[in-house]
Amino acid sequence: MQDHGRFFSEAEARAREEQVLPADSYEFYQSLFNYQTARCAEYAALVPGMELTLPGEPPFLVPGSIALTAPARLALASGLGELLDLVGGFNTGMNFDVLRDADAGELAGTVIDDLLARDLDGLTQRASALRIGFEELVFVVTNWIKPFMASLAEPLRERFNNDEWLRAECPVCGYYPDIARIAGADDGRRFLHCALCETEWVYTRLHCAVCGNSDTESMGYFTIEGDARHRIDYCDACKGYLKTVIINKFQEPESVDLSVENVLTAGLDAAAMEKGYSRP
């Protein structure tokens, strides 16, 4: 996992000047990214002791493949408490009382399997039981589990062949992409970025990254005036979209943090949704 807090801090002055986010949200995202970076470092120390049952081919992290150890459960429980304090501190209207009273160590294993299975029905039922909104629960659990999954994914990223996978789901955990990049330094190939474990993988530029559609007549892209660095790739077959960052050939891809770019391009999400497109 990149040091999101550092990248966000470096981009903050430009973002404030361009007013890409509400003025009162910068401190929140800075705190959230600092939390993820610190938690990832803590979870990475637990990875060697984790018990994983990995299939022979990607995606490697599937429901039931992760047996959480006692130290991992304790660390995740602590991480949830810290995250709820952080989110609740900036959003005083959100009530996490039932979630705070839950067995966080047990909840972690259940939520991880829900995310790996992309089980929206399971998450919807869990949100109802925890008495919070579905979108609020997804935001909390994704940001809670993401640094843990990024730590687990790190040693698994060498196990798949980037030139053979070419699928719209993450080869490590099978989750959805949240943003893409096209980099001149990488011969103009398109890389998708996993919303859960932050793995990046190659995907063809002529297929929809949401449904896999290859009919170029039903796909396209658009940009926002004054922003040549970002674009929206859309598909009329599934009405899905994905944001893409264009990196010139003189810039190293590692100098761009896609998690931070995803937050700082909220205006593109609004533009896409206004046109009737949605993300998975």
Side-chain angles (χ1 to χ4, degrees):
M1 175 179 276
Q2 290 179 295
D3 186 345
H4 301 321
R6 176 176 65 82
F7 277 92
F8 187 81
S9 179
E10 293 172 351
E12 183 176 348
R14 173 183 59 81
R16 283 183 180 274
E17 181 179 352
E18 297 175 1
Q19 299 181 338
V20 300
L21 293 174
D24 59 356
S25 65
Y26 289 94
E27 185 179 353
F28 169 71
Y29 281 111
Q30 184 69 68
S31 298
L32 180 64
F33 284 136
N34 289 343
Y35 160 86
Q36 290 180 351
T37 301
R39 280 289 162 177
C40 187
E42 178 180 349
Y43 297 145
L46 302 174
V47 169
M50 293 296 301
E51 300 175 12
L52 303 177
T53 304
L54 303 178
E57 58 184 23
F60 301 114
L61 299 176
V62 297
S65 65
I66 305 169
L68 294 176
T69 60
R73 290 179 183 274
L74 287 173
L76 285 164
S78 172
L80 177 59
E82 182 182 351
L83 179 61
L84 294 180
D85 288 342
L86 190 160
V87 176
F90 285 93
N91 300 273
T92 55
M94 298 182 72
N95 187 333
F96 296 128
D97 290 348
V98 178
L99 182 53
R100 286 183 185 278
D101 290 339
D103 183 335
E106 185 68 26
L107 180 64
T110 304
V111 166
I112 287 172
D113 281 348
D114 284 345
L115 291 171
L116 293 179
R118 303 197 292 192
D119 184 359
L120 299 184
D121 289 339
L123 289 171
T124 299
Q125 293 172 9
R126 226 162 298 289
S128 178
L130 295 168
R131 298 180 186 175
I132 61 175
F134 172 76
E135 292 185 357
E136 287 81 1
L137 178 67
V138 171
F139 178 84
V140 168
V141 299
T142 301
N143 284 286
W144 172 34
I145 299 300
K146 179 184 287 190
F148 180 72
M149 296 301 297
S151 299
L152 286 179
E154 184 65 33
L156 300 176
R157 290 176 183 146
E158 298 179 355
R159 296 193 178 199
F160 71 92
N161 188 320
N162 237 330
D163 295 322
E164 295 179 357
W165 178 247
L166 301 177
R167 289 166 59 177
E169 63 266 24
C170 174
V172 172
C173 73
Y175 205 63
Y176 304 104
D178 58 358
I179 195 168
R181 66 173 171 86
I182 295 175
D186 286 322
D187 299 322
R189 293 184 296 171
R190 176 163 66 156
F191 286 77
L192 305 186
H193 176 268
C194 180
L196 185 59
C197 75
E198 302 200 348
T199 294
E200 293 184 23
W201 70 98
V202 174
Y203 189 65
T204 176
R205 293 177 64 167
L206 299 178
H207 286 65
C208 171
V210 178
C211 71
N213 171 37
S214 60
D215 176 17
T216 56
E217 294 296 320
S218 60
M219 293 184 290
Y221 69 87
F222 64 87
T223 60
I224 293 180
E225 184 177 357
D227 183 6
R229 191 166 180 265
H230 305 98
R231 77 185 196 193
I232 289 287
D233 291 286
Y234 65 85
C235 173
D236 284 326
C238 68
K239 304 303 289 186
Y241 79 92
L242 193 69
K243 296 180 292 188
T244 298
V245 184
I246 310 298
I247 306 173
N248 67 53
K249 64 181 180 180
F250 302 109
Q251 186 177 10
E252 291 296 326
E254 293 76 14
S255 67
V256 175
D257 187 318
L258 292 181
S259 290
V260 172
E261 291 284 336
N262 191 34
V263 167
L264 295 179
T265 52
L268 275 81
D269 292 296
M273 288 186 283
E274 285 179 3
K275 293 179 180 290
Y277 300 104
S278 62
R279 275 167 53 168

